[in-house]
Amino acid sequence: GQQLNQSPQSMFIQEGEDVSMNCTSSSIFNTWLWYKQDPGEGPVLLIALYKAGELTSNGRLTAQFGITRKDSFLNISASIPSDVGIYFCAGRPFGNEKLTFGTGTRLTIIP
Amino acid sequence: DTAVSQTPKYLVTQMGNDKSIKCEQNLGHDTMYWYKQDSKKFLKIMFSYNNKELIINETVPNRFSPKSPDKAHLNLHINSLELGDSAVYFCASSQDPRSYEQYFGPGTRLTVT
């Protein structure tokens, strides 16, 4: 089935640094979403994107729906300790009703 | 107030047993889902119900049987549990089938020994 590849797989950064991660697919997507999962919890929706080129912010988080409709990006500015977790992209492929999740990016903040 | 809740949080059982996981949402959503997250954290949809009707049924062994008594509840019953069923199971809900903003429960960690 459809797969979404996230990059990088893991990140080790210092507090205060900016973070960038992306998600790519081999086919066109109509919707992109970004979730964050804390240990022992369910994924929490961060940002939803519905149009190619759309740029949406949620506090220090900014996500973009790629122009080609085959990718999406998430940036986190001035990281803080509570940003630690696994970030998942998710998308709805064109012509498909199901949401497909990416492989996840694990963010760790080094003291 | 918890939006999507699941019970139990942890479930440890032996192979061959039958177990159920319950899910409730108080968001007034029409659509509910079950996902399985494996040890590599990969999330995969199993089932989806809209207003108590099954609308998505992925390639899941028929030992797994979802039941939706009303649109606020979606339970998952698993028969003859196998070692490979060990995973975290998440319930989620959305406003309707065309709304892809899904809200997840806290998960149920199932361990089969």
Side-chain angles (χ1 to χ4, degrees):
Chain A
Q2 176 67 50
Q3 282 199 323
L4 291 178
N5 295 311
Q6 276 187 251
S7 177
Q9 198 169 21
S10 58
M11 303 183 75
F12 296 84
I13 63 166
Q14 292 192 318
E15 185 176 348
E17 285 186 38
D18 295 343
V19 171
S20 291
M21 60 188 78
N22 68 72
C23 189
T24 59
S25 78
S26 56
S27 58
I28 291 172
F29 274 55
N30 281 345
T31 305
W32 287 99
L33 305 109
W34 284 92
Y35 285 84
K36 179 182 180 238
Q37 186 176 18
D38 290 331
E41 301 293 331
V44 173
L45 182 63
L46 300 173
I47 294 177
L49 304 158
Y50 295 99
K51 289 197 294 192
E54 182 180 349
L55 188 72
T56 298
S57 292
N58 178 2
R60 294 177 295 106
L61 277 61
T62 302
Q64 184 163 24
F65 191 139
I67 289 291
T68 65
R69 305 179 79 114
K70 292 184 179 182
D71 54 14
S72 181
F73 307 89
L74 177 70
N75 295 316
I76 305 173
S77 62
S79 58
I80 60 177
S82 62
D83 291 334
V84 165
I86 302 177
Y87 290 81
F88 290 99
C89 64
R92 181 175 73 91
F94 181 75
N96 191 326
E97 296 299 311
K98 289 175 287 193
L99 201 58
T100 298
F101 278 80
T103 47
T105 294
R106 185 182 293 273
L107 179 64
T108 303
I109 294 186
I110 307 166
Chain B
D1 281 344
T2 305
V4 182
S5 58
Q6 294 178 231
T7 54
K9 175 80 170 167
Y10 301 96
L11 186 51
V12 181
T13 189
Q14 290 184 326
M15 283 175 54
N17 284 349
D18 304 339
K19 290 293 179 186
S20 291
I21 307 171
K22 297 189 175 187
C23 178
E24 176 181 0
Q25 54 94 5
N26 62 8
L27 296 167
H29 288 169
D30 286 345
T31 310
M32 295 184 74
Y33 310 81
W34 277 111
Y35 284 85
K36 179 180 181 180
Q37 186 173 49
D38 61 24
S39 57
K40 294 184 179 177
K41 303 297 184 185
F42 185 61
L43 268 164
K44 192 170 183 340
I45 191 166
M46 300 172 69
F47 302 102
S48 175
Y49 271 71
N50 183 57
N51 260 323
K52 305 190 296 177
E53 298 294 325
L54 181 67
I55 56 172
I56 293 175
N57 185 350
E58 285 295 279
T59 310
V60 177
N62 57 16
R63 297 182 295 103
F64 290 78
S65 52
K67 281 191 173 47
S68 182
D70 55 62
K71 72 174 193 178
H73 296 83
L74 180 62
N75 304 322
L76 183 65
H77 188 75
I78 315 171
N79 289 327
S80 303
L81 279 155
E82 300 177 357
L83 292 176
D85 297 332
S86 296
V88 182
Y89 293 84
F90 287 101
C91 176
S93 72
S94 65
Q95 185 68 50
D96 53 55
R98 294 198 62 77
S99 171
Y100 295 96
E101 297 181 21
Q102 296 180 10
Y103 296 85
F104 284 76
T108 295
R109 181 175 292 276
L110 171 65
T111 303
V112 182
T113 63

